[in-house]
């Protein structure tokens, strides 16, 4: 599993480098293509959401795919980011950027409080603890109506601006969000290839074995949990400033589970899979599943089961599988 | 009711807490049965309770069958769902890990919830109680007769399970799987079959919970997730895998919830139980009745 061979590392680097360049070009060109293909222009709005959710799924990819921990509370970090940004900008008139940092600080603190005790335990206490946490946070958003607007939501959240230039169109916001996605991707790819990434993978393999070779299992799990919460909170702030309106239903348990579905569908052992899954589920829920309405939930259930049973490594593993079938 | 003293008010909260706590205890017992054999937490456990309530509504209200028939019918229908859950979602997983089983049960719980919404719609359903709605007055507090049924069923479940696990071959085989699945298969126990049995058994217990609580608190399609979380809180408070712990934890969680809602704030009713879960994870992760040594051996 662990590759120390210098030649292979170089090959990896080249592969990643070409992938990244291709990916960057695709992101850059998509809105330009929209000028000629009107259908693509309609998808600009959804693509912003795909970007926002990709940030979260990449974070979850490290947490679930690499460290092997399930969190059902990431909708809450998403919500904390969004609500800190929303409340601070609308009620206190603070600039969006400090609010984003404040959201990050709040999420990191909360993640430390929740993750600390549950990650010290072996196995999947985190799943249930974060599920409880997610429900608590939704209740708090609903009950503290004087600040959050309660179930009716919080409207008129101002947009974001960079050095005096307002990011006021879909295409501009698209570039903002996808630049963040690109940076996060770069960062995560590097983490995976580092000592930390190998430590995380060893935890997924066996916590006992990992600690036997000197990996501080609890500490790494907490690091990656807090890191994923921070990224999710940034995504939340971006979401609030893009949509200009937030309500508690956008951050409930169902949303947490959607995040999980995104990484399972794409393939939770791969960052590319995470982005792919985010894109697929977002398109499904924003565009293609509209006429399923409430039955959406059932469709998601089926998707999860089918993937877990037939494609445990997600859709990104299909090419590899086809190759191995052909090789036979 | 207007002139309730504080003492009788407290008593009222305690009665409500013990009643709802009994349901949490049943959910927690269901968790434990599956956990002991597979070491995974079945996230669809709450859906069994929801199905129990709604299937009972179908037999009792829609088909107007008497309780004596609809009760076993409902239990067998939900048991069938539990068996299907194992056959369709759990067994086909090629390399079962705790992670993949947890994800599979989350997916299954979504499917069951969606299906229930298709069949019964979104409105809550009522069920006639087993023996009338005239409350019994006791020291100034009112007890629903159904509350006594709830307690009675919990006691019955505990007694039957104790006999099952202590006196029957199948119960002993299940316990063997709980201790060491690979060693049990070496002595001829069919572990896959035991997993099936554990799903059927905990589905049945969940169904009983749903059947007895619906006359008091109604039932709708999306109640499962919350019941699962509260049941898991009960489980964690008592110590995962520990049956007396599940009963104790369930009743404690019920009391915390009802006293918290009554004395502090009803808007935050659901928060109290979940805070108890987080607190126990902080302070004594092995649970009140669980031992630290046992939890060290476990994979979970």
């Amino acid at each position: 599993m662990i590759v120390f061979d210098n030649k292979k590392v170089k090959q990896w680097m080249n592969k990643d480098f070409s992938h990244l360049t291709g990916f960057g070009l695709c992101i850059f060109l998509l809105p330009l293509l929209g000028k000629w293909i009107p259908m693509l222009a309609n998808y600009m709005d959804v693509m912003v959401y795909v970007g926002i959710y990709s940030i979260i799924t990449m974070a979850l990819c490290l947490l679930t795919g690499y460290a092997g921990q399930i969190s059902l509370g990431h909708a809450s970090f998403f919500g904390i980011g969004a609500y800190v940004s929303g409340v601070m900008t609308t009620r206190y008139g603070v600039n969006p950027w400090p609010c984003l940092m404040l959201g990050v600080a709040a999420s990191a603190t909360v993640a430390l409080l929740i993750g600390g005790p549950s990650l010290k335990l072996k196995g999947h206490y985190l799943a249930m603890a974060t599920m409880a946490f997610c429900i608590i946070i939704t209740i708090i958003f609903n009950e503290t109506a004087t600040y959050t607007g309660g179930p009716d939501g919080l409207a008129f959240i101002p947009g974001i601006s960079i050095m005096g230039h307002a990011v006021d169109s879909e295409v501009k916001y698209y570039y903002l969000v996808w630049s963040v996605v690109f940076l996060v991707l770069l960062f995560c790819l590097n983490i995976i290839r580092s000592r930390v990434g190998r430590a995380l993978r060893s935890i997924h393999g066996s916590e006992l074995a990992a600690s036997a070779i000197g990996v501080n299992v609890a500490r790494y799990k907490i690091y990656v949990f807090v890191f994923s919460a921070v990224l999710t909170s940034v995504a939340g702030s971006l979401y609030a400033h893009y949509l200009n309106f937030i309500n508690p239903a956008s951050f409930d348990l169902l949303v947490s589970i959607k995040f999980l579905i995104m990484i399972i569908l794409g393939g939770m052992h791969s960052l590319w899979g995470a982005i792919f899954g985010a894109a697929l589920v977002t398109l499904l829920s924003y565009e293609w599943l509209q006429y399923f309405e409430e039955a959406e939930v059932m469709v998601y259930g089926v998707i999860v089961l089918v993937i877990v049973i037939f494609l445990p490594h997600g859709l990104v593993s299909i090419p590899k599988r086809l190759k191995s079938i052909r090789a036979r | 009711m207007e002139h309730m003293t504080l003492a009788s008010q407290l008593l009222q909260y305690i009665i409500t807490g013990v009643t709802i706590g009994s349901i949490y205890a049943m959910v927690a017992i269901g968790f434990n049965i599956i956990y002991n054999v597979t070491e995974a937490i079945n996230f669809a456990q709450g859906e069994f309770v929801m199905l129990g309530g709604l299937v009972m509504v179908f037999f009792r209200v829609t088909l107007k069958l008497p309780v004596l028939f609809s009760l076993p019918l409902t239990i067998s229908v939900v048991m069938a769902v539990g068996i299907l859950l194992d056959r369709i979602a759990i067994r086909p997983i090629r390399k079962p890990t705790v992670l993949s089983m947890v994800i599979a049960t989350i997916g299954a719980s979504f499917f069951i919830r969606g299906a229930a919404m298709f069949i019964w719609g979104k409105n809550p359903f009522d069920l006639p109680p087993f023996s009338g709605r005239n409350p019994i007055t006791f020291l100034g507090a009112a007890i629903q007769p159904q509350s006594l049924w709830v307690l009675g069923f919990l006691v019955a479940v505990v007694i039957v399970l104790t006999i099952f696990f202590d006196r029957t071959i199948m119960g002993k085989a299940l316990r063997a799987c709980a201790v060491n699945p690979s060693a049990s298969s070496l002595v001829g126990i069919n572990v896959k079959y035991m997993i099936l049995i554990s799903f059927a058994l905990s589905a049945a217990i969940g169904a009983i919970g749903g059947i007895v609580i619906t006359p008091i608190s109604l039932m709708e399609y999306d109640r499962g997730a919350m019941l699962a979380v509260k049941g898991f809180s009960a489980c964690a408070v008592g110590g995962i895998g520990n049956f007396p712990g599940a009963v104790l934890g369930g009743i404690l969680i019920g009391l915390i919830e009802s006293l918290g809602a009554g004395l502090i704030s009803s808007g935050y009713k659901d928060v109290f139980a979940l805070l108890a879960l987080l607190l126990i994870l902080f302070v004594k992760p092995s649970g009140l009745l669980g031992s630290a040594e046992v939890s060290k051996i476990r994979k979970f």
Side-chain angles (χ1 to χ4, degrees):
Chain A
M1 193 83 184
I2 305 168
V3 183
F4 291 106
D5 192 343
N6 218 349
K7 206 169 141 197
K8 276 198 175 164
V9 171
K10 260 186 196 158
Q11 271 176 2
W12 267 15
M13 297 278 277
N14 287 337
K15 207 172 118 197
D16 271 352
F17 185 74
S18 57
H19 280 178
L20 273 173
T21 326
F23 179 67
L25 267 176
C26 282
I27 298 173
F28 181 72
L29 290 178
L30 193 71
L32 302 179
L33 284 176
K35 280 184 186 148
W36 296 293
I37 310 166
M39 212 194 104
L40 267 180
N42 295 338
Y43 273 97
M44 225 60 272
D45 176 49
V46 183
M47 283 310 289
V48 172
Y49 293 111
V50 171
I52 289 171
Y53 291 132
S54 296
I55 298 171
I56 301 167
T57 50
M58 281 187 281
L60 281 178
C61 171
L62 288 190
L63 180 70
T64 310
Y66 280 81
Q69 305 299 313
I70 301 180
S71 164
L72 294 177
H74 269 62
S76 299
F77 297 122
F78 190 45
I80 289 172
Y83 266 103
V84 168
S85 282
V87 172
M88 293 307 280
T89 47
T90 51
R91 315 253 173 212
Y92 302 102
V94 186
N95 185 288
W97 293 107
C99 294
L100 187 141
M101 295 317 291
L102 210 63
V104 163
S107 290
T109 316
V110 174
L112 214 54
L113 285 177
I114 302 293
S118 41
L119 283 167
K120 268 192 209 122
L121 308 167
K122 275 188 247 166
H124 299 286
Y125 275 88
L126 188 69
M128 269 293 176
T130 48
M131 187 164 158
F133 162 69
C134 193
I135 294 172
I136 292 177
I137 293 288
T138 312
I139 293 171
I140 291 175
F141 287 157
N142 272 316
E143 291 290 321
T144 51
T146 37
Y147 296 100
T148 62
D152 297 333
L154 187 64
F156 307 116
I157 300 167
I160 223 164
S161 63
I162 299 171
M163 296 201 268
H165 299 287
V167 186
D168 48 8
S169 74
E170 276 173 10
V171 176
K172 281 183 194 166
Y173 217 90
Y174 167 92
Y175 279 121
L176 171 68
V177 167
W178 282 92
S179 317
V180 178
V181 173
F182 194 78
L183 288 177
V184 172
L185 178 65
L186 208 61
F187 191 69
C188 291
L189 278 173
N190 279 317
I191 285 189
I192 288 170
R193 227 181 299 107
S194 72
R195 185 189 169 86
V196 181
R198 290 193 294 271
L200 293 178
R201 254 177 289 176
S202 72
I203 292 172
H204 193 177
S206 157
E207 290 188 12
L208 206 62
S211 58
I213 54 168
V215 174
N216 189 336
V217 173
R219 186 182 291 169
Y220 272 111
K221 284 198 285 188
I222 292 171
Y223 280 166
V224 70
F225 185 62
V226 171
F227 174 70
S228 67
V230 162
L231 283 185
T232 309
S233 169
V234 170
S237 295
L238 289 173
Y239 177 84
H241 290 301
Y242 178 67
L243 193 60
N244 306 118
F245 169 80
I246 47 177
N247 64 341
S250 317
F251 312 108
D252 62 4
L253 194 60
L254 185 72
V255 178
S256 279
I257 293 181
K258 260 193 200 169
F259 294 158
L260 195 65
I261 294 172
M262 287 174 186
I263 55 167
I264 294 167
L265 187 63
M268 57 184 172
H269 305 287
S270 148
L271 286 165
W272 301 104
I275 297 175
F276 185 53
L280 215 56
V281 173
T282 310
L283 286 171
L284 274 176
S285 62
Y286 278 82
E287 302 277 334
W288 304 331
L289 277 188
Q290 288 294 335
Y291 45 108
F292 275 92
E293 285 170 26
E294 308 281 340
E296 218 191 340
V297 175
M298 235 168 120
V299 179
Y300 288 135
V302 174
I303 291 176
V304 171
L305 284 179
V306 168
I307 293 286
V308 169
I309 294 167
F310 297 107
L311 267 179
H313 294 285
L315 293 180
V316 284
S317 67
I318 288 181
K320 225 184 204 171
R321 277 205 148 183
L322 287 180
K323 237 184 225 167
S324 72
I325 290 172
R326 234 179 263 158
R328 265 184 237 158
Chain B
M1 286 295 257
E2 301 91 58
H3 302 292
M4 271 175 109
T5 60
L6 184 66
S8 60
Q9 219 173 16
L10 270 181
L11 186 66
Q12 187 73 60
Y13 294 143
I14 289 172
I15 291 165
T16 320
V18 171
T19 308
I20 189 72
S22 308
I23 303 301
Y24 299 154
M26 288 190 209
V27 178
I29 291 173
F31 273 131
N32 280 341
I33 292 175
I34 291 180
Y35 168 76
N36 274 344
V37 182
T38 64
E39 300 199 316
I41 289 293
N42 169 27
F43 275 71
Q45 191 65 36
E47 312 317 315
F48 291 150
V49 181
M50 177 271 287
L51 277 181
L54 290 181
V55 173
M56 184 73 171
V57 167
F58 172 73
F59 285 126
R60 186 92 176 79
V61 179
T62 316
L63 297 185
K64 298 202 170 55
L65 292 176
V67 175
L68 221 51
F69 290 112
S70 46
L71 190 79
L73 270 176
T74 306
I75 295 176
S76 20
V77 168
V78 180
M79 266 174 109
V81 173
I83 291 171
L84 280 178
L85 175 66
D86 176 51
R87 294 307 296 263
I88 295 175
I90 305 296
R91 198 179 288 192
I93 301 177
R94 256 165 282 162
K95 277 185 256 162
T97 58
V98 175
L99 186 78
S100 61
M101 275 199 267
V102 168
I103 293 173
T105 56
I106 290 175
S109 78
F110 261 65
F111 182 79
I112 296 173
R113 198 176 310 161
M117 196 195 67
F118 255 122
I119 300 171
W120 285 282
K122 287 183 156 183
N123 293 328
F125 283 90
D126 193 10
L127 198 64
F130 294 178
S131 50
R133 280 200 200 272
N134 296 331
I136 305 156
T137 324
F138 174 73
L139 294 176
I143 306 175
Q144 292 277 340
Q146 187 68 22
S147 293
L148 298 177
W149 279 109
V150 172
L151 265 182
F153 268 97
L154 177 65
V155 172
V157 163
V158 169
I159 292 174
V160 169
L161 278 184
T162 313
I163 295 172
F164 174 73
F165 279 116
D166 282 350
R167 300 259 183 264
T168 64
I169 289 288
M170 191 181 277
K172 285 178 183 169
L174 271 172
R175 270 170 54 203
C177 288
V179 176
N180 188 336
S182 39
S184 339
S185 65
L186 280 178
V187 295
I189 296 169
N190 184 345
V191 178
K192 289 216 157 155
Y193 182 63
M194 287 301 137
I195 293 177
L196 184 79
I197 295 292
S198 73
F199 270 88
L201 205 57
S202 61
I205 293 162
I208 293 173
I211 290 167
V212 291
I213 199 65
T214 305
I216 297 178
S217 69
L218 311 184
M219 189 58 71
E220 69 248 50
Y221 78 102
D222 64 351
R223 196 71 77 72
M226 192 61 101
L227 280 165
V229 173
K230 301 253 179 80
F232 181 80
S233 308
C235 220
V237 167
I240 287 188
N242 183 312
F243 288 101
V247 176
L248 176 76
I251 305 239
L252 268 179
I253 291 287
L255 283 175
I256 290 170
E257 181 180 315
S258 122
L259 288 172
L263 301 177
I264 302 170
S265 153
S266 58
Y268 288 100
K269 175 176 156 250
D270 295 323
V271 173
F272 299 112
L274 307 177
L275 283 179
L277 167 67
L278 295 179
L279 189 73
I280 201 86
L281 290 183
F282 260 113
V283 181
K284 196 171 184 296
S286 52
L288 292 177
L289 297 187
S291 71
E293 287 85 54
V294 171
S295 62
K296 261 185 199 156
I297 310 171
R298 299 232 178 263
K299 280 191 220 142
F300 186 78

